[in-house]
């Protein structure tokens, strides 16, 4: 390790991940599908086992020891999640995942849209950040506009400015593209959106796991992310919302735990954040997410970002030096997600042959079909990195690509 | 067993019956949105309602291409009823490689497309 830097130690990190010890098709697993979901460290797995094994109970209800312990653990995870993005406790709502977070906003705020209102998303959105808007706009007679991307795969900021006007009510843009790895200038977008009186929503599913996040510094009104892409369990995610906005919003799901007082005629809702969390929540999930955040904070999000930057620069260098490989997205200033295609070979075949070598990548349209049509690709192969990945694994992927050529083209 | 067996790769790189037919009796095109595979089938029938000529155009992964090629060889000369009766299991047996759950749609796309074309043809005749 270089002295004086805070370079993270991937080899000691790897020891915390039991799954990295397994073999796939007789080869050591090389996991490069982190944009889909990350692996989980022992600390997260243990926290979930500890909850179910030692203090399993429902939260916020029972006046007994187990319920108190469970409530305490669950709510202290919320505190960690809030601190992780520099949000307030009341502004940090637990959901199922980023998709549900975005749907919550779309349903609660979107239902107030009317004819002539406009919603702005970009061409690089994941389906989860435009299908809800598309459907709400269809229902409400509002107009959905798409900000174009340029040749490099960056957001066209002139086009964004052109999409904004006094009718714009909502701007919802991804922080990092799950296909192109583009990092969007969210602070600048927040300012542009607010200048025309619109709300700004950030899909942080691909950024929260990989870089420091600060909702105050971004200046966004809402921000969504998932636990399972950042070392935590599936089935739990976060929606951040500004308190004054959340206070004025209708809940999206009704039921228990979100109620202050119910009569046969009406209901007074619970205070924030529970107002938006009807029903028994994913308690184990929340606790697991807390453990994941603790693990990431110990490493430091700056160091996580630097490690992945180093890996993606290395991988880009290797892939771009091959004549028959087309890499999508910007060449510089990007996150650790790299989409590519081998000339004349379908992404599924690339992924399937890499799998024979124990290497897990994604092949397909990555839930971004409009973007695929913009890129004129039916799909791409995608390698995405995290804290436990190494340069050697990227070398192994590059050699395995030789095998893909050999099998499918005889080259 | 690896799905990229010699016969699959052979049909992938040297597809049989690739091309189009002008004024076909049967034509249908379908896609598999999961991976963007695309297959179009063209067929001409003889007097006994059997497939006398069949061609396909396809874009996609090796499995979808090879299965289209193998299917066209298999159905030539067969009656529409026979072809319509080909089951997914029959198709998988024809491929002779283990197809995992996620690749199933790639493997069956050509068959489903051809059968949809037959259905359209039969309805049109009523």
């Amino acid at each position: 390790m270089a002295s004086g830097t805070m370079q993270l130690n991937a080899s000691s990190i790897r020891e915390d991940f039991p799954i990295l010890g397994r073999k796939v098709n007789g080869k050591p697993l090389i996991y490069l599908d982190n944009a889909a979901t990350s692996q989980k460290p022992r600390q997260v797995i243990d926290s979930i086992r500890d909850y179910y094994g030692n203090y399993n109970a429902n939260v916020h209800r029972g006046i007994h020891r187990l319920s108190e312990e469970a409530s305490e653990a669950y709510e202290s995870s919320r505190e960690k999640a809030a601190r992780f993005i520099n949000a307030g406790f009341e502004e940090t709502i637990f959901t199922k995942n980023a998709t549900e977070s975005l749907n919550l906003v779309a349903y609660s705020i979107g239902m107030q849209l009317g004819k002539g209102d406009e919603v702005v998303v970009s061409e690089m959105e994941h389906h989860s950040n435009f299908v809800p808007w598309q459907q709400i706009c269809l229902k409400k007679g509002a107009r959905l506009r798409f900000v174009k991307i340029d040749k490099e795969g960056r957001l066209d900021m002139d086009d964004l400015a052109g999409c904004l006007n006094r009718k714009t009510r909502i701007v919802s843009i991804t922080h990092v593209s799950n296909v192109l790895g583009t990092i969007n200038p969210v602070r600048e977008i927040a300012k542009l959106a607010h200048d025309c009186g619109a709300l700004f929503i950030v899909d942080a599913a691909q950024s929260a796991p990989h870089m420091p996040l600060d909702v105050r510094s971004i200046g966004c009104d809402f921000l969504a992310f998932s636990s399972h892409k950042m070392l935590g369990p599936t089935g739990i995610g976060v929606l951040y919302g500004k308190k004054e906005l959340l206070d004025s919003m209708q809940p999206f799901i009704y039921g228990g735990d979100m109620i202050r007082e119910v009569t046969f005629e009406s209901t007074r809702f619970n205070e924030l954040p529970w107002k938006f969390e009807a029903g028994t929540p994913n308690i184990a999930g929340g606790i697991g997410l807390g453990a994941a955040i603790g693990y990431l904070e110990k490493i430091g999000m700056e160091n996580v970002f630097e490690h992945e930057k180093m890996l993606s620069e290395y991988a880009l260098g290797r892939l771009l030096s091959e004549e028959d490989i087309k890499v999508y997205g910007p060449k510089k200033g990007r996150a650790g997600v790299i989409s590519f295609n081998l000339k004349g070979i379908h992404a599924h075949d690339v992924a399937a042959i890499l799998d024979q070598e124990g290497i897990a990548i994604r092949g397909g349209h990555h839930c971004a079909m409009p973007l695929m049509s913009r890129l004129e690709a039916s799909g791409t192969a995608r390698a995405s990195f995290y804290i436990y990945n190494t340069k050697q694994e990227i070398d192994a992927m590059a050699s395995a690509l030789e095998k893909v050529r050999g099998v499918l083209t005889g080259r | 067993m690896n799905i990229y067996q010699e016969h699959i790769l052979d049909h992938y790189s040297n597809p049989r019956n690739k091309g189009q037919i002008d004024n076909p009796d049967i034509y249908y095109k379908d896609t598999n949105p999961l991976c963007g595979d695309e297959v179009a089938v063209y067929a001409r029938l003889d007097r006994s309602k059997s497939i006398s000529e069949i061609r396909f155009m396809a874009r996609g992964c090796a499995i979808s291409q090879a299965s289209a090629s193998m299917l066209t060889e298999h159905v030539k000369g067969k009656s529409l009823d026979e072809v319509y009766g080909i089951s997914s299991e029959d198709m998988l047996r024809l491929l002779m490689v283990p197809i995992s759950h996620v690749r199933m749609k790639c493997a069956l796309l050509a068959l489903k497309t051809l059968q949809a074309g037959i259905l359209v043809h039969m309805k049109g005749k009523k």
Side-chain angles (χ1 to χ4, degrees):
Chain A
M1 205 188 247
S3 62
T5 68
M6 288 293 288
Q7 198 179 333
L8 65 78
N9 185 345
S11 64
S12 76
I13 284 173
R14 292 179 71 84
E15 289 171 15
D16 290 329
F17 289 77
I19 207 167
L20 297 178
R22 84 162 266 191
K23 291 202 155 102
V24 170
N25 293 318
K27 313 264 168 57
L29 167 67
I30 294 180
Y31 188 79
L32 301 176
D33 194 17
N34 294 287
T37 196
S38 75
Q39 295 304 342
K40 324 299 174 199
R42 206 181 304 281
Q43 290 81 345
V44 168
I45 300 167
D46 288 349
S47 75
I48 295 166
R49 187 182 293 131
D50 185 36
Y51 163 67
Y52 282 127
N54 292 314
Y55 60 99
N56 175 60
N58 211 330
V59 289
H60 310 146
R61 289 169 176 78
I63 311 297
H64 59 75
R65 182 60 177 268
L66 297 188
S67 180
E68 276 167 18
E69 287 180 11
S71 302
E72 163 65 25
Y74 184 68
E75 293 303 336
S76 85
S77 284
R78 189 194 309 276
E79 261 165 43
K80 283 182 196 155
R83 203 175 52 226
F84 187 68
I85 55 170
N86 194 24
F89 181 86
E90 297 169 297
E91 299 174 316
T92 306
I93 296 157
F94 279 144
T95 60
K96 188 169 74 178
N97 47 32
T99 298
E100 189 181 275
S101 299
L102 293 164
N103 272 275
L104 192 162
V105 184
Y107 275 89
S108 185
I109 294 248
M111 288 314 262
Q112 300 163 17
L113 291 175
K115 237 189 163 79
D117 286 339
E118 295 187 359
V119 175
V120 174
V121 298
S122 83
E123 288 182 337
M124 68 171 89
E125 300 310 317
H126 187 280
H127 292 165
S128 59
N129 194 31
F130 84 76
V131 179
W133 299 115
Q134 182 192 53
Q135 295 304 312
I136 294 281
C137 286
L138 284 173
K139 200 174 277 178
K140 292 289 173 180
R143 180 181 177 199
L144 183 63
R145 302 184 68 157
F146 290 88
V147 182
K148 289 192 168 54
I149 55 168
D150 65 17
K151 277 189 187 140
E152 273 252 282
R154 294 182 192 282
L155 209 60
D156 182 336
M157 294 301 281
D158 291 334
D159 193 55
L160 170 64
C163 284
L164 298 175
N165 59 55
R166 285 165 61 191
K167 289 181 271 180
T168 313
R169 297 281 305 278
I170 289 161
V171 177
S172 192
I173 305 266
T174 190
H175 193 179
V176 169
S177 161
N178 71 313
V179 176
L180 302 165
T182 314
I183 303 173
N184 287 320
V186 280
R187 289 173 69 170
E188 210 177 312
I189 301 169
K191 195 171 174 317
L192 290 170
H194 290 154
D195 282 350
C196 69
L199 294 171
F200 179 44
I201 302 157
V202 179
D203 174 0
Q206 297 292 346
S207 63
H210 305 289
M211 59 186 71
L213 268 193
D214 182 330
V215 292
R216 307 254 177 260
S217 138
I218 294 171
C220 53
D221 298 291
F222 297 95
L223 180 138
F225 61 94
S226 294
S227 145
H228 71 94
K229 293 188 200 293
M230 49 185 287
L231 310 180
T234 54
I236 186 99
V238 169
L239 173 69
Y240 156 78
K242 275 185 185 156
K243 185 177 181 301
E244 56 272 30
L245 290 168
L246 293 173
D247 271 332
S248 68
M249 281 159 62
Q250 270 293 108
F252 162 50
I253 296 172
Y254 302 93
D257 209 24
M258 50 92 63
I259 295 305
R260 171 69 60 78
E261 185 187 24
V262 183
T263 65
F264 285 108
E265 291 75 32
S266 68
T267 295
R268 268 172 70 216
F269 301 122
N270 201 343
E271 57 201 26
L272 290 172
W274 305 286
K275 169 179 156 184
F276 291 97
E277 297 178 7
T280 295
N282 183 351
I283 304 165
I287 290 167
L289 171 60
I293 289 172
Y295 190 91
L296 285 170
E297 282 182 332
K298 229 178 201 172
I299 296 169
M301 293 309 290
E302 287 286 353
N303 302 322
V304 170
F305 183 73
E306 286 304 317
H307 177 72
E308 291 168 25
K309 191 172 150 214
M310 178 273 291
L311 289 176
S312 59
E313 277 169 7
Y314 183 72
L316 272 178
R318 290 217 56 159
L319 294 173
L320 288 171
S321 68
E322 309 278 352
E323 264 185 24
D324 62 343
I325 294 181
K326 180 172 171 57
V327 176
Y328 300 89
K331 303 288 173 280
K332 280 201 174 122
R334 53 138 75 214
V337 180
I338 300 181
S339 280
F340 62 94
N341 269 319
L342 248 73
K343 200 174 171 191
I345 300 177
H346 193 279
H348 266 188
D349 293 321
V350 177
I353 294 173
L354 259 53
D355 177 61
Q356 290 170 13
E357 303 300 309
I359 302 170
I361 64 158
R362 175 94 182 256
H365 57 54
H366 318 296
C367 299
M369 291 173 86
L371 175 60
M372 287 296 132
S373 69
R374 184 87 170 77
L375 299 174
E376 294 174 356
S378 61
T380 70
R382 180 186 71 183
S384 51
F385 314 121
Y386 213 3
I387 48 175
Y388 34 72
N389 291 124
T390 64
K391 282 184 178 178
Q392 289 85 329
E393 290 182 314
I394 292 166
D395 290 338
M397 178 181 79
S399 326
L401 290 176
E402 278 300 322
K403 286 218 165 139
V404 176
R405 293 185 185 97
V407 170
L408 290 172
T409 67
R411 260 179 276 161
Chain B
M1 187 173 65
N2 178 344
I3 54 173
Y4 298 100
Q5 296 295 312
E6 211 166 300
H7 63 282
I8 296 283
L9 293 171
D10 177 40
H11 277 272
Y12 170 59
S13 36
N14 309 297
R16 327 295 198 261
N17 304 311
K18 193 152 182 181
Q20 302 177 3
I21 295 175
D22 290 334
N23 305 315
D25 296 310
I26 289 173
Y27 166 75
Y28 204 81
K29 184 178 162 184
D30 207 354
T31 60
N32 166 9
L34 182 73
C35 41
D37 292 337
E38 202 176 284
V39 170
V41 286
Y42 307 76
R44 211 188 291 288
L45 305 175
D46 61 18
R47 289 184 174 188
S48 64
K49 288 280 165 207
S50 295
I51 294 177
S52 59
E53 199 186 349
I54 182 160
R55 298 208 174 266
F56 77 97
M57 293 295 284
R59 212 172 56 132
C61 69
I63 298 304
S64 72
Q65 305 264 322
S67 62
S69 172
M70 293 170 82
L71 179 71
T72 55
E73 279 201 319
H74 181 71
V75 299
K76 204 181 261 185
K78 288 194 165 58
S79 74
L80 288 189
D81 284 345
E82 271 180 285
V83 178
Y84 198 73
I86 296 175
S87 68
S88 302
E89 291 71 29
D90 296 334
M91 185 70 217
L92 296 178
R93 267 194 294 277
L94 192 66
L95 291 174
M96 296 184 296
V97 290
I99 301 293
S100 69
H101 178 73
V102 291
R103 300 303 288 277
M104 201 57 84
K105 283 188 171 155
C106 315
L108 299 178
L109 178 62
L111 176 67
K112 299 294 170 200
T113 306
L114 176 56
Q115 289 177 337
I118 291 173
L119 199 63
V120 170
H121 173 79
M122 286 172 167
K123 279 187 177 160
K125 293 290 163 204
K126 268 179 196 167

